[in-house]
Amino acid sequence: MPNRHSPDVVIIGAGVVGAACAYYAARSGLTVAVVDRGPVAGGTTGAGEGNLLVSDKEAGPELDLALLSTRLWRELSAALPPETEYEPKGGLVVAPDEPALQALRTFAEGQRKAGVTAAEIPADRLADLEPHLAPGLAGGFHYPQDAQVQPAQAAARLLAASGAALHLGEEVTAILRGPAGAVRGVRTPRRELLAPAVVNAAGTWGGEAARLAGVHLPVLPRRGFVLVTEPLPRVVRHKVYAADYIADVASGSAALQSSAVVEGTPGGPVLIGATRERVGFDRSLSTEALRRLAAQATALFPVLAGVQVLRAYHGFRPYLPDHLPAIGPDPRVPGLHHACGHEGAGIGLAPATGALVAAALTGAEPPLDPAPFRPERDFGPADAPTQEQQS
Amino acid sequence: MTTSPSDPAAGAGPAADLAVVGAGPAGLAAAVTAAALGLTVTLLDAGARPGGQYYRHPDPALGATRPQALHHDWKAFTGREAELRAYERAGRVRHLPNRQVWSVTGSGADWTVHSRTDDEAGQPVRARAVLFATGAYERQLPFPGWTLPGVVGAGGAQAMLKSGLVLPGTGVPPARAKPRARGRVVVAGSGPLLLAVAASLAAAGARVPAVVEAAGYGPYARHTGTLLRNPAKLAEGARYGGALLRHRVRPLLRHAVVEAHGTDRVEAVTVARLDHDWRPLPGTGRRIPCDALAVGHGLVPELSLATALGCATRTAADGTAALVLTPGLRTSVPGVWAAGETGGIGGAQLALTEGEIAAHSIAGRAVPAALVRRRARLRAFADAMGAAHRPGGGWTGWLPEETAVCRCEEVPAGRIREAVEELGATDARTVKLLTRAGMGWCQGRVCGPAVAALAGGGPAADRRPLACPVRLGELAELPVD
Ligand SMILES: Cc1cc2nc3c(=O)[nH]c(=O)nc-3n(C[C@H](O)[C@H](O)[C@H](O)COP(=O)(O)OP(=O)(O)OC[C@H]3O[C@@H](n4cnc5c(N)ncnc54)[C@H](O)[C@@H]3O)c2cc1C
Ligand SMILES: Cc1cc2nc3c(=O)[nH]c(=O)nc-3n(C[C@H](O)[C@H](O)[C@H](O)COP(=O)(O)OP(=O)(O)OC[C@H]3O[C@@H](n4cnc5c(N)ncnc54)[C@H](O)[C@@H]3O)c2cc1C
């Protein structure tokens, strides 16, 4: 079907990353179409918690991306409606013992050099920040830059603000290529959307979308469970988690790992999440995952033991073997851009990703060095077929 | 003697052949039939006594002597309850009352049933097969004023009569109510239950100024064959009809309560005529004073535990999501069976029949042909009823923007419409993520059908990995895996 008003760019995926790409592309003057086989935020974004964390990231390219995002989220909070629930509440990382505290000090030192604000909180001052915290902790670090949004709202409001044409309930079944191999647009069961650029923001399904263009991108699912309690008065004020969480994030292990991040929400419920395990797309409930989350949360906040958990949910993080997202143009297919593989940080990293993609689409100066996120990079020995046999 | 829920030995012991969740007609029939066929059975239910939603026991404190007065086939129940007790004494059935099952995990022939009592965790129950007989809850379609005190569910009113013997609108047992205190109860909504409720209320002394039914009985005509093959069901209908006539109650067809009025509690309702798609016709409203309103639009299968295991669902004739079942009542997940309302709303007789069929199937026995025939007949009847009373899409026409759809989270219809029309929500799940509708205590059991209708999609199958709330401390103390 010929399109009289072909967009400048088609974005595959109406999750928070696709939404941020649409927002920044539109702000750069491009006309944008977004296609999703489901509703807005129907993928991993709808299962995410909305932590915008710098605290859990060691100095390096991901932290740089997170710091840029932190600034952009603050700007966005003024531009987007209040339903986005942006809250710069700050994070508190606690250490159960002296060795953990020492490790945390070294970690924070590296982060400070990259621009993170981190203040050590001695054991006897922890209660000032979190009155209900368990006694006996060795100390902790306060990260005032950690913030939060409501992920589904964030995605929906970014999309609405972008003015992009939305095609929901339409699966992209082909990425169209011209005679020289450059992308020409996408095909869905309902239409052909022609455009000189296509952004793969298909999240955990980004590997399949890449395959539609004939390129390899080893995105894998990493499952996470979250517990949601009954609505409570403000019991937990920051994002609170134990220091061993940082080790889990950086780990590539397939086994179940967890260190609960505990936080209150404006709606009242306390969120406790999330576990990390690579079990393919297994949707069954793991009572072991729930047990660990609950045990860790009650260890941090004993008062929560008597609180009712109303629901539990899970999602599948888009995971790349080297723990960095794929962002930017794919030199193997002219006109194809990637914006996927953000694992457990896609909500936090969405604005910086969108800004990078918009810069690449318009040829503008990128806001930071995009090289570490090159989609065609070598993913190393972990990118082997056997690693995908986890389900 | 029943096992005390706090008995530490209650959860110990080897795996049972079968765990049955739900001790309503379906679960009870399944448990005793399976035991008769030689299986060891553990039967768990949230209630204190077996019987489910249908066979309800009056509170002993009220001293009611004839619970059977509100049940036509009390014997079908007492017989099975006696069998249950006998099998319990023989050690073939373990009945665990007051147990809310929050999750079932496992696969194949190795299942674990996780449950809790009001105060503590229950020992996990192990079993080689699982049967879900978890019944149903009422379908509510909101309207202005539906959250006023004095507005109760139609099934809820019936349940109150059976167990508390309290008349809605009066707060007193009918036997003790002075004639003047007896309330006027409007019965409204859709479905065969309305007539039963109205008849019970009238028999208990309430005045029923109107029975307001949104469907016409026209669709029944298309199913005369099915209706005639179910003489018992027809007799049941005729009995209610006769009882109502005696009390001078005539159903108002193709009408709905489009608003309940009152400040502290309901004082009147506005009833309007509907078109064939349940859209209220302007200018047809009229006010009926009352002291209570019993309203319900049929039932919705309770599938949380089953869908958490991945059991496939279908859209049933009444528009609800029900489990996909084989003739032997297997779900799509090996090792998991279902019976009763979970396979589609069909009533207590069908639930009893399906419980027996499932037990045969689980025991690896041939299902007696009489049971198969009976099930087919009752299912056909249920489907005909379901189709006749399936809500027409126009009902949202009586829902103004400011009316709360989700009462737990106080989400008005306007916010849901905004999520659908402006924010890209195309299903109930996304509406929930964007508005919090369905995130509260009832986890969408009350607002689910309404939200799905506003989202424009089909019915959303229950998606609740936790079937009921669990204390965090109980989760923390689960056995380490
Ligand atoms: C339990 C859990 C907790 C989390 N907590 C946090 C947190 O606190 N903070 C944080 O920053 N991150 C968190 N995350 C991670 C975060 O949710 C993800 O990184 C992020 O949502 C990814 O967004 P996305 O837009 O890339 O993917 P998605 O939201 O999955 O969007 C991809 C979209 O692409 C669509 N799609 C795929 N293929 C096609 C196709 N062929 N055609 C059309 N459409 C297609 C899908 O339908 C989907 O809607 C968490 C994740 C989980 C599972
Ligand atoms: C409120 C209400 C009133 C009704 N009134 C009438 C009436 O007057 N006349 C009529 O003919 N029909 C009536 N019905 C319909 C009738 O009750 C059903 O047709 C019949 O009971 C179906 O039997 P069942 O075994 O499938 O389910 P049910 O009788 O509903 O039994 C299901 C059982 O499962 C238990 N259960 C569910 N989930 C869990 C869990 N997670 N953990 C532990 N236990 C669980 C419940 O406690 C319940 O005991 C009513 C239904 C409802 C909901």
Side-chain angles (χ1 to χ4, degrees):
Chain A
M1 206 193 302
N3 294 33
R4 268 196 299 137
H5 306 286
S6 287
D8 297 318
V9 53
V10 172
I11 296 171
I12 308 172
V16 70
V17 172
C21 289
Y23 180 86
Y24 286 101
R27 275 222 332 198
S28 310
L30 303 178
T31 56
V32 183
V34 176
V35 188
D36 199 298
R37 61 186 171 204
V40 165
T44 309
T45 297
E49 282 182 279
N51 294 317
L52 316 176
L53 300 186
V54 295
S55 58
D56 65 338
K57 295 174 182 67
E58 65 182 321
E62 197 191 8
L63 181 58
D64 296 341
L65 203 59
L67 282 165
L68 172 58
S69 268
T70 300
R71 280 204 302 284
L72 295 176
W73 270 122
R74 209 177 307 126
E75 277 173 38
L76 286 171
S77 71
L80 299 176
E83 286 83 355
T84 312
E85 294 183 3
Y86 173 79
E87 205 185 345
K89 53 161 50 172
L92 179 64
V93 186
V94 297
D97 49 30
E98 200 49 46
L101 185 59
Q102 193 46 50
L104 203 49
R105 277 190 195 114
T106 313
F107 191 74
E109 199 41 51
Q111 291 175 313
R112 281 200 191 107
K113 291 197 185 105
V116 171
T117 312
E120 180 162 351
I121 310 295
D124 60 350
R125 306 304 303 273
L126 284 173
D128 298 348
L129 292 179
E130 288 292 344
H132 297 286
L133 211 50
L137 294 162
F141 274 79
H142 178 221
Y143 289 87
Q145 286 153 315
D146 283 356
Q148 144 178 338
V149 290
Q150 209 276 29
Q153 280 285 353
R157 303 288 170 175
L158 278 168
L159 272 176
S162 77
L166 270 183
H167 302 285
L168 299 177
E170 289 186 40
E171 173 152 10
V172 171
T173 53
I175 292 179
L176 307 170
R177 318 260 306 261
V183 304
R184 284 194 306 119
V186 303
R187 181 180 300 135
T188 78
R190 251 182 267 161
R191 74 196 85 224
E192 278 187 357
L193 268 169
L194 300 183
V198 170
V199 178
N200 168 17
T204 313
W205 304 272
E208 283 147 49
R211 200 151 42 237
L212 292 179
V215 292
H216 175 66
L217 195 63
V219 186
L220 298 171
R222 199 175 185 192
R223 185 171 73 174
F225 278 99
V226 178
L227 298 176
V228 187
T229 72
E230 62 185 295
L232 298 171
R234 204 94 169 144
V235 180
V236 182
R237 301 175 181 185
H238 302 78
K239 298 175 175 296
V240 185
Y241 60 95
D244 48 343
Y245 174 72
I246 297 159
D248 288 348
V249 173
S251 148
S253 160
L256 171 67
Q257 303 162 43
S258 63
S259 183
V261 179
V262 184
E263 64 171 315
T265 59
V270 168
L271 297 189
I272 301 162
T275 49
R276 291 168 179 267
E277 53 187 330
R278 286 178 46 194
V279 290
F281 285 102
D282 180 351
R283 300 189 164 275
S284 58
L285 185 78
S286 159
T287 47
E288 176 61 9
L290 305 195
R291 184 193 68 76
R292 291 205 198 174
L293 287 175
Q296 289 165 347
T298 51
L300 286 175
F301 291 98
V303 299
L304 293 179
V307 161
Q308 305 270 4
V309 178
L310 291 195
R311 53 196 184 95
Y313 63 84
H314 67 265
F316 298 96
R317 300 178 187 85
Y319 164 73
L320 279 164
D322 61 0
H323 302 289
L324 288 180
I327 305 172
D330 191 323
R332 298 166 292 186
V333 182
L336 177 67
H337 296 246
H338 298 281
C340 60
H342 296 74
E343 201 172 340
I347 295 149
L349 301 179
T353 302
L356 275 178
V357 166
L361 285 168
T362 56
E365 183 69 23
L368 56 73
D369 177 15
F373 313 111
R374 283 175 305 119
E376 77 282 16
R377 66 188 185 264
D378 180 7
F379 288 98
D383 178 19
T386 49
Q387 287 287 317
E388 291 182 61
Q389 316 276 308
Q390 297 289 343
S391 55
Chain B
M1 226 185 66
T2 57
T3 319
S4 142
S6 55
D7 180 351
D17 292 322
L18 171 65
V20 178
V21 184
L28 179 59
V32 296
T33 308
L37 295 173
L39 302 187
T40 54
V41 181
T42 301
L43 173 63
L44 303 97
D45 193 281
R49 292 192 59 178
Q53 293 283 7
Y54 188 71
Y55 301 109
R56 289 181 166 271
H57 306 266
D59 183 340
L62 290 170
T65 47
R66 293 180 58 250
Q68 62 274 31
L70 288 168
H71 295 88
H72 321 297
D73 50 0
W74 190 245
K75 268 206 215 104
F77 168 68
T78 47
R80 286 183 177 84
E81 194 189 27
E83 283 180 62
L84 178 74
R85 301 300 173 215
Y87 285 126
E88 263 191 291
R89 281 190 299 273
R92 304 261 284 278
V93 173
R94 199 153 56 108
H95 176 219
L96 303 177
N98 300 313
R99 293 279 201 125
Q100 287 260 341
V101 176
W102 54 266
S103 175
V104 175
T105 54
S107 63
D110 180 13
W111 298 97
T112 306
V113 180
H114 301 275
S115 66
R116 59 172 305 199
T117 68
D118 276 351
D119 329 294
E120 58 184 355
Q123 283 275 344
V125 167
R126 307 285 301 274
R128 281 180 277 279
V130 183
L131 173 73
F132 289 123
T134 44
Y137 51 90
E138 276 194 270
R139 174 158 59 191
Q140 296 296 350
L141 305 180
F143 49 87
W146 72 298
T147 55
L148 277 174
V151 180
V152 297
Q158 180 83 336
M160 276 160 80
L161 278 171
K162 283 181 180 175
S163 53
L165 299 179
V166 172
L167 275 183
T170 65
V172 279
R176 298 184 200 164
K178 296 190 188 70
R180 207 111 44 89
R182 291 182 181 176
R184 298 159 299 177
V185 188
V186 169
V187 177
S190 193
L193 188 59
L194 296 189
L195 292 182
V197 173
S200 304
L201 284 167
R207 279 198 286 134
V208 181
V211 176
V212 187
E213 163 63 62
Y217 290 155
Y220 286 13
R222 261 178 265 138
H223 300 281
T224 1
T226 304
L227 299 185
L228 289 175
R229 278 189 291 280
N230 285 274
K233 284 281 175 188
L234 282 186
E236 197 178 310
R239 193 164 51 239
Y240 296 139
L244 290 178
L245 278 180
R246 269 199 309 287
H247 294 282
R248 295 206 176 73
V249 183
R250 202 150 352 108
L252 210 51
L253 300 181
R254 290 222 168 281
H255 279 73
V257 167
V258 295
E259 183 163 6
H261 310 275
T263 39
D264 302 331
R265 55 174 298 119
V266 60
E267 288 159 10
V269 295
T270 294
V271 167
R273 223 186 122 68
L274 305 181
D275 73 7
H276 65 282
D277 197 31
W278 290 33
R279 203 176 313 279
L281 296 172
T284 61
R286 92 186 133 89
R287 212 175 153 104
I288 303 177
C290 62
D291 304 295
L293 168 64
V295 60
H297 297 85
L299 304 174
V300 182
E302 167 59 62
L303 306 181
S304 311
L305 294 168
T307 52
L309 287 178
C311 296
T313 61
R314 65 188 175 94
T315 301
D318 59 4
T320 62
L323 294 178
V324 172
L325 298 176
T326 67
L329 303 185
R330 286 173 184 272
T331 69
S332 65
V333 174
V336 179
W337 280 256
E341 310 285 44
T342 47
I345 299 307
Q349 310 311 319
L350 179 57
L352 289 169
T353 308
E354 290 198 341
E356 292 179 3
I357 291 175
H360 280 86
S361 168
I362 294 162
R365 305 293 183 87
V367 179
L371 287 178
V372 174
R373 276 197 306 275
R374 193 169 149 78
R375 170 172 188 249
R377 182 165 51 74
L378 290 167
R379 268 279 166 228
F381 183 82
D383 285 350
M385 286 293 187
H389 295 282
R390 176 183 188 136
W395 74 265
T396 52
W398 72 57
L399 193 57
E401 305 297 65
E402 63 280 5
T403 297
V405 170
C406 167
R407 48 199 299 182
C408 303
E409 296 285 332
E410 294 172 8
V411 184
R415 286 250 307 286
I416 294 172
R417 289 185 173 126
E418 182 207 16
V420 173
E421 285 153 24
E422 279 154 46
L423 296 177
T426 55
D427 61 1
R429 173 174 180 257
T430 316
V431 168
K432 169 167 111 176
L433 290 171
L434 290 173
T435 66
R436 304 191 57 78
M439 284 197 182
W441 279 102
C442 82
Q443 288 291 294
R445 286 178 176 88
V446 177
C447 66
V451 170
L454 290 170
D462 291 343
R463 209 163 124 167
R464 298 180 199 100
L466 296 183
C468 64
V470 197
R471 254 185 294 276
L472 195 64
E474 289 170 27
L475 292 179
E477 277 154 30
L478 283 169
V480 178
D481 209 17

